[in-house]
Amino acid sequence: MTTTRIDARFAALEREGRAGLVTFVSAGDPDPETSLALVRALPAAGADVIELGMPFSDPMSDGPTIQASSQRALKHGQTLAGTLALVRAFREGDDATPIVLMGYYNPIYIYGVDRFLADAHAAGVDGLIVVDLPPEEDAELCVPAMKAGLSFVRLLTPTTDAARLPAVLANTSGFLYYVSITGVTGTAKPDFAAVGRAVAAVKAKTPLPVAVGFGVRTAADAAAIAAYADAVVVGSAIVSAIKASLDANDAATPATVEAATALVRELAGGVRAARRTAAE
């Protein structure tokens, strides 16, 4: 693979001597127009990498908050084609911020793998996180994605043992996503010391950047994780801020974009204020 926006961004973060902030929102939540406005506003608020959720009716690894955001997006007609259109529109004004699509294989399979990879690359997508395709299925999407110029980011969990780790690392590119808790998104708070030990162990086995997510809700949480990791991923807290700004019918209000970006600014401040530790 050639150097991607993901590679360039993590190289820049390393030069700056700080961790990055990866923000997750569901594409099309609460509606396509507001979603585009929000995604366009994230970099200025402090997002270094943007994860866009591909809305799906059965999101098995997501907690209730992100499940609800997928439902709001689907209710407003969000499709995988619409998500790629959002990325194309975003790229009209930002050619630097990496975008990673996160979700499940079913919508990609229905769209058609080859067609999806070509369209995603052309739209300006940089990487994929597909949580229900294990390494044993790399020929299905992972290897074709990398051949198409897209990074394939893999999840590591607290239950990934030393015997399993080589398989997880084999075809991973861009960065590794360490899941800080056992369970679904947005449901528990990480044990920061344990996360630090786990990140150090992983980084001893791979040169890839390690991002940590699940359970990070506040600037203090983000700072604690940023002391160890190359990036901090925040999703449910941002999606919760979006939900809290909606009206009684789950429609966007004039406060919606600012509600999300205000939290992102706080999180970015926590990440940037973090004191790096030797646990790396």
Side-chain angles (χ1 to χ4, degrees), residues 24-28 51-56 70 78 83 100-103:
F24 171 95
V25 292
S26 291
E51 282 182 13
L52 273 181
M54 298 178 283
F56 181 50
S70 277
Q78 188 70 16
T83 298
V100 177
L101 298 186
M102 183 172 187

Side-chain angles (χ1 to χ4, degrees), residues 78-99:
Q78 188 70 16
T79 62
L80 189 50
T83 298
L84 296 179
L86 187 159
V87 177
R88 285 194 298 272
F90 174 82
R91 286 285 175 234
E92 293 172 1
D94 187 321
D95 194 45
T97 304
I99 289 187

Side-chain angles (χ1 to χ4, degrees), residues 127-254:
L128 304 174
I129 302 173
V130 182
V131 301
D132 54 350
L133 279 181
E136 289 75 14
E137 304 297 333
D138 275 359
E140 191 78 18
L141 182 64
C142 172
V143 173
M146 292 192 294
K147 289 180 178 178
L150 300 175
S151 295
F152 200 87
V153 178
R154 192 86 70 189
L155 298 179
L156 281 171
T157 75
T159 60
T160 304
D161 61 20
R164 181 65 172 167
L165 185 58
V168 174
L169 296 178
N171 288 318
T172 301
S173 55
F175 62 95
L176 280 159
Y177 187 146
Y178 182 76
V179 176
S180 64
I181 60 172
T182 54
V184 296
T185 58
T187 57
K189 188 168 184 173
D191 177 336
F192 298 123
V195 169
R197 293 190 295 272
V199 169
V202 171
K203 288 177 71 64
K205 300 293 185 180
T206 177
L208 286 170
V210 178
V212 175
F214 281 49
V216 181
R217 306 193 66 84
T218 67
D221 293 343
I225 295 293
Y228 304 105
D230 297 299
V232 181
V233 187
V234 185
S236 293
I238 298 171
V239 174
S240 292
I242 294 171
K243 166 61 178 173
S245 76
L246 305 180
D247 68 16
N249 297 313
D250 278 343
T253 69

